[in-house]
Amino acid sequence: MELKYEFYIDAQPEDVWNTLVSPEGTRKTFFGSVIRSTFKAGDALEYVGPGNDGDETVHVYGTLLAYEPHQTLSFIEHPGPSYFPNHAELESRVTFTLETVGQCTKLTLVNDQWSANHPSYPNAQSHWWMILSNIKTFTETGRTLDFGW
């Protein structure tokens, strides 16, 4: 199973990258979460923000595979402990890739290597569209989309 999305964003790769990894960018585009990581390959990574366990809910955690500024962010992820009792057994790989195309940036997201019968797969199919649309809108305009949540 593989989910793949491509978005063209009217911004430079460094601006898109900042949206993907900075606390301000992720808070705005990943539903209030920030990334906690040393950003060194092999180290832990967590998306933490408001949720089931309060303001410090771990929504996703895992291991950083690649961190190449303005180019690639890749990690193995597990759903946070408050989502499923068997969260440690559930995983997938998330890879963001940025490349310059003319005067804009092509953002490619591949979410693959899913555990068999991963219960988050159906949600990921719809939520990635929302997150990526928010990344595009925020990077281009400084505003986010209102999904009515």
Side-chain angles (χ1 to χ4, degrees), residues 8 10-11 15 17 31 35 41 43 60-61 74 76 80 82 89 97 103 105 110 115 127 130 132-133 142 149:
Y8 292 85
D10 188 18
D15 297 324
W17 184 260
F31 310 109
I35 299 175
D43 283 359
V60 167
Y61 71 95
S74 183
I76 297 294
S82 66
E89 300 165 18
T97 307
Q103 295 298 308
T105 299
V110 176
S115 301
H127 287 157
M130 299 169 95
L132 293 166
S133 296
W149 294 357

Side-chain angles (χ1 to χ4, degrees), residues 2-129:
E2 175 184 280
L3 300 173
K4 182 177 181 182
Y5 307 87
E6 295 175 337
F7 273 68
Y8 292 85
I9 301 173
D10 188 18
Q12 295 302 303
E14 50 271 17
D15 297 324
V16 179
W17 184 260
N18 192 48
T19 299
L20 282 176
V21 301
S22 75
E24 178 193 18
T26 58
R27 213 177 267 119
K28 295 283 189 182
T29 58
F30 284 85
F31 310 109
S33 294
V34 296
I35 299 175
R36 293 203 180 139
S37 180
T38 63
F39 295 111
K40 293 182 180 145
D43 283 359
L45 174 140
E46 297 178 322
Y47 281 80
V48 179
N52 298 343
D53 298 327
D55 288 343
E56 292 291 305
T57 299
V58 175
H59 294 282
V60 167
Y61 71 95
T63 305
L64 190 68
L65 299 174
Y67 184 86
E68 301 163 26
H70 313 152
Q71 294 175 38
T72 306
L73 173 66
S74 183
F75 53 92
I76 297 294
E77 61 91 22
H78 306 272
S82 66
Y83 291 100
F84 305 104
N86 63 335
H87 60 89
E89 300 165 18
L90 305 171
E91 70 177 39
S92 71
R93 179 177 64 179
V94 174
T95 303
F96 294 98
T97 307
L98 305 179
E99 67 182 276
T100 300
V101 177
Q103 295 298 308
C104 59
T105 299
K106 179 182 177 184
L107 167 62
T108 303
L109 167 69
V110 176
N111 190 183
D112 60 1
Q113 297 184 4
W114 289 84
S115 301
N117 302 312
H118 196 308
S120 295
Y121 185 81
N123 279 345
Q125 286 180 291
S126 61
H127 287 157
W128 276 129
W129 286 112

